[in-house]
Amino acid sequence: MSAADATTDPTRSAAPPVVRRISARFFVSELRLVFRRRRNLAGLLVLASVPVLIAVAVRSTGSGGNEGPDFFGSITQNGLFVALSALTIEITLFLPLAVAVVAGDAVAGEANTGTLRYLLAVPVSRLRLLLVKYAALVVFAFVATFVVSLTGIAIGLALFGGGDVTLLSGTQVGFGAGLLRVVLASLYVGCAMASLAAVGLFVSTLTEQPIGATISVVVFSTASFILDAIPQVSWLHPFLIVHHWAAFGDLFRDPIAWDGVQRGLFVAAAYVVIFLAAAWSRFAAKDVTS
Amino acid sequence: MTPESPRLDGPAVRTTGLTKQFGSQRAVDGIDLLVPRGAVYGFLGPNGSGKTTTIRMLLGLISPSAGEIEVLGSPIPGGAADALPRVGALVEGPAFHPYLSGRENLVRLDAADRTADPATARRRIDTALERVGLMPVAGKRFRAYSLGMRQRLAIAGALLTPKDLMVLDEPTNGLDPQGTREVRSLIASLAQEGSTVLVSSHLLSEVEQVCSHVGVMHAGHLVAQGTSAEVRNVAATEARVETDQPAEAARVLHELGLTDVVTTATGASGRVGRVAPEKVVAACVHAGLAVTRFTVDAPTLEDVFVSLTGEGFDVSG
Ligand SMILES: Nc1ncnc2c1ncn2[C@@H]1O[C@H](COP(=O)(O)OP(=O)(O)OP(=O)(O)O)[C@@H](O)[C@H]1O
Ligand SMILES: [Mg+2]
């Protein structure tokens, strides 16, 4: 029988109808894979240890000193600043590293173990695979960020107490408003990490070596930080993924300087769109020979 | 599927001019695979002859350099979403997440399948585990599995939902004799349920026992394909006639169309080719020969395999 028959074949209906469900099962399975993996949990533990270290160090020496980053000096006045200090420190390496590890693993890890071919044979469409992988990475990016800030808040309040928050511009807001700003700052950093995760997902489609993908992502973010610090290439700065990352500090001025945050969100969105598109164009027709 | 239920027409797998080029090498070179519905198709070939590459193309994992593929009536890769839910596959050995248990790995595969009913997942996973005898180690981490357990888990993964076509790339690799026998009976029972099975294997005796059809790959070419009987006849089935008139017998065999006819002291023999062996006796008797003994040596699949793909030990490629 010819191919034309196959499409008009009346017995086609004898096949059990293929019902495709809209279901979150695969996404949930992906989250379990990410969050039950010991390595990833250990990574989160390392992220959580930084605010603890900061708080204990400041407590035992009695002051944050004035030579530290912006938020350090305020820690002794209000515990919330432990969270912000920890975010400031971790945003340059630890948070990007954690995101890079999980994102680098996303596709390359499945290719490396060979599970990629079995997922595709299930079948999982390649677009769905990328979207589910990215969705799980976004969740991880936010969880990682909130692990830092929530641990910081908890240990900070325990060691230094709360109360009214004196903003960087000198004005005071109530504790609730201060806490809200810390949450906003965390959400902003989470978005930044999610944009890096898109870069990681793309790199992860290029290789079967998750470690290689991870290292590339860390090199990418670190190189961006370095370029961002070189004034001679200032024309490049607005396009760098990391350029507006520190803008979460603007949320602690009065009035809030939304400008940097807005631009940061815009750059993050642009990176997400560009790198997801790149990942798709790279992965859509890729030969899976692993 | 019960035997009465209407069968889907058309072959389970059909390829035309299927080709895959890796750099300068043609791993698969213009093959026209035809796997009829309900067949147990033995896909044979030496190492590196292109079996796995072909199977990867059937599953849409790699895209062909040329040629067309149709699996269960749907074009691949375009119609993969329609065809593949009804295809169970084992490709180039098992692959699972090492730090998840066997059961958790199956749960993950099932979760990825949009056509699988979550309500019955537990029961289906249990059934699949039982079917491959893995129940006792279902909770063990995959990394602690032996080679045979891994292979069995991969087969279980392919059996989570009912399938019309099973593609098994070397399913008995690493299995103990019991496991091998179980896979054989599994293939038989799948065929009985109405599934088509495409099984690649090196164990020729294995294939000979279960396969209704055979395709033989050699250096990227499909050098023989058909029912097991047909393929065996491609190689030399030899008819030997014993008689007191060897020269006359040789003449008769030659006239019948046998090739490589040789005369011996006690008679004559030749390759029957497309000639039906029973005609040979009739012709000899008709020619007035006193036939004292007549034998037909059908080659084993191994003979066929070696005659088609050569004696050499070197891999192709
Ligand atoms: N990703 C790849 N890149 C380059 N060449 C490849 C690739 N995959 C397979 N080949 C080549 O294609 C040829 C066929 O390989 P394939 O894996 O299909 O053989 P096979 O018949 O499955 O062999 P075996 O019996 O050993 O499993 C081999 O020569 C192999 O080296
Ligand atoms: Mg192979």
Side-chain angles (χ1 to χ4, degrees):
Chain A
M1 101 179 219
S2 70
D5 291 341
T7 50
T8 57
D9 187 348
T11 61
R12 250 335 263 287
S13 57
V18 175
V19 185
R20 290 192 197 85
R21 288 160 227 274
I22 308 281
S23 146
R25 280 177 86 205
F26 186 36
F27 175 60
V28 172
S29 156
E30 187 62 32
L31 287 181
R32 289 166 69 99
L33 203 63
V34 170
F35 286 102
R36 289 185 55 199
R37 184 152 181 189
R38 267 190 232 163
R39 183 197 65 192
N40 297 349
L41 295 178
L44 291 178
L45 207 63
V46 171
L47 292 180
S49 68
V50 171
V52 175
L53 277 177
I54 293 172
V56 170
V58 170
R59 175 93 232 182
S60 56
T61 57
S63 101
N66 293 324
E67 68 278 17
D70 287 350
F71 298 115
F72 264 64
S74 311
I75 287 179
T76 48
Q77 296 156 33
N78 194 310
L80 288 182
F81 285 101
V82 173
L84 299 169
S85 303
L87 282 178
T88 307
I89 287 182
E90 299 207 50
I91 205 170
T92 54
L93 182 62
F94 278 15
L95 274 171
L97 180 60
V99 168
V101 166
V102 181
D105 207 41
V107 177
E110 301 268 9
N112 194 259
T113 54
T115 42
L116 182 59
R117 64 175 182 269
Y118 283 104
L119 280 180
L120 294 179
V122 158
V124 176
S125 83
R126 295 180 183 217
L127 183 60
R128 179 163 163 248
L129 184 78
L130 283 182
L131 292 180
V132 166
K133 287 281 177 189
Y134 185 61
L137 289 178
V138 170
V139 171
F140 181 80
F142 280 94
V143 167
T145 310
F146 274 90
V147 160
V148 175
S149 55
L150 293 182
T151 313
I153 291 170
I155 188 86
L157 293 184
L159 295 190
F160 305 101
D164 286 354
V165 182
T166 308
L167 299 176
L168 297 178
S169 49
T171 36
Q172 275 207 339
V173 295
F175 178 75
L179 188 62
L180 180 67
R181 289 183 191 219
V182 175
V183 170
L184 280 179
S186 307
L187 286 173
Y188 175 75
V189 173
C191 289
M193 292 304 122
S195 71
L196 186 65
V199 177
L201 184 69
F202 165 66
V203 177
S204 189
T205 61
L206 303 179
T207 171
E208 288 169 19
Q209 294 303 328
I211 303 284
T214 297
I215 291 173
S216 310
V217 176
V218 173
V219 166
F220 176 79
S221 73
T222 307
S224 298
F225 271 117
I226 292 172
L227 286 172
D228 199 38
I230 300 177
Q232 283 77 5
V233 290
S234 59
W235 56 270
L236 186 62
H237 292 173
F239 303 102
L240 293 173
I241 192 169
V242 301
H243 183 62
H244 298 285
W245 280 6
F248 71 88
D250 297 348
L251 296 172
F252 296 87
R253 295 178 200 286
D254 200 33
I256 293 178
W258 287 106
D259 199 42
V261 170
Q262 264 168 10
R263 278 193 219 159
L265 289 176
F266 180 76
V267 169
Y271 269 88
V272 169
V273 169
I274 290 168
F275 279 90
L276 286 189
W280 167 241
S281 75
R282 169 69 198 165
F283 189 58
K286 189 192 184 193
D287 278 356
V288 173
T289 53
S290 59
Chain B
M1 190 187 287
T2 60
E4 294 81 30
S5 78
R7 275 285 179 73
L8 294 163
D9 286 337
V13 176
R14 173 167 48 195
T15 73
T16 40
L18 186 61
T19 301
K20 182 66 189 183
Q21 186 108 22
F22 285 121
S24 63
Q25 185 199 358
R26 293 211 155 181
V28 173
D29 195 355
I31 70 170
D32 300 326
L33 206 64
L34 191 89
V35 181
R37 293 265 176 179
V40 176
Y41 186 104
F43 196 36
L44 309 177
N47 291 136
S49 56
K51 304 181 297 293
T52 302
T53 303
T54 304
I55 287 173
R56 282 183 187 276
M57 285 191 281
L58 296 184
L59 297 171
L61 295 175
I62 60 181
S63 44
S65 311
E68 259 118 61
I69 305 171
E70 198 186 297
V71 173
L72 299 175
S74 304
I76 300 290
D82 292 324
L84 293 189
R86 292 182 285 136
V87 178
L90 201 120
V91 196
E92 201 146 69
F96 291 96
H97 291 284
Y99 42 84
L100 296 185
S101 73
R103 181 191 295 280
E104 285 166 341
N105 268 297
L106 293 188
V107 169
R108 176 163 169 82
L109 275 182
D110 196 65
D113 187 354
R114 289 177 67 191
T115 68
D117 181 4
T120 59
R122 217 199 141 76
R123 185 173 50 73
R124 285 181 293 108
I125 288 166
D126 281 351
T127 309
L129 284 168
E130 231 143 50
R131 200 159 179 185
V132 297
L134 272 187
M135 252 330 183
V137 292
K140 224 177 180 177
R141 282 181 168 220
F142 177 74
R143 58 174 306 157
Y145 274 23
S146 73
L147 179 58
M149 292 177 188
R150 290 171 183 212
Q151 192 77 11
R152 287 165 191 246
L153 188 65
I155 296 174
L159 291 173
L160 290 175
T161 53
K163 308 290 185 188
D164 292 342
L165 171 66
M166 290 291 284
V167 178
L168 304 173
D169 192 8
E170 316 213 3
T172 53
N173 197 6
L175 290 185
D176 53 24
Q178 289 92 325
T180 308
R181 269 178 51 169
E182 276 159 33
V183 165
R184 204 162 57 214
S185 73
L186 184 81
I187 290 174
S189 75
L190 286 168
Q192 212 162 21
E193 290 160 22
S195 303
T196 309
V197 183
L198 171 65
V199 53
S200 96
S201 178
H202 294 300
L203 300 175
L204 297 165
S205 55
E206 208 44 41
V207 169
E208 203 158 22
Q209 287 178 46
V210 294
C211 291
S212 61
H213 291 69
V214 172
V216 182
M217 290 288 291
H218 179 48
H221 297 275
L222 190 63
V223 289
Q225 174 172 249
T227 64
S228 301
E230 280 167 2
V231 169
R232 257 178 264 172
N233 277 334
V234 168
T237 298
E238 208 181 49
R240 186 186 305 273
V241 181
E242 289 188 14
T243 173
D244 51 352
Q245 292 168 272
E248 185 65 6
R251 190 188 59 78
V252 171
L253 295 188
H254 205 81
E255 276 177 1
L256 260 179
L258 274 69
T259 53
D260 298 306
V261 176
V262 289
T263 319
T264 60
T266 57
S269 66
R271 298 187 169 195
V272 294
R274 303 235 166 260
V275 182
E278 56 275 14
K279 280 201 183 148
V280 177
V281 201
C284 289
V285 174
H286 192 72
L289 295 177
V291 177
T292 54
R293 189 183 160 98
F294 175 71
T295 50
V296 180
D297 283 332
T300 63
L301 207 45
E302 187 163 334
D303 298 332
V304 178
F305 186 80
V306 170
S307 79
L308 287 170
T309 62
E311 299 264 2
F313 179 64
D314 286 349
V315 297
S316 26

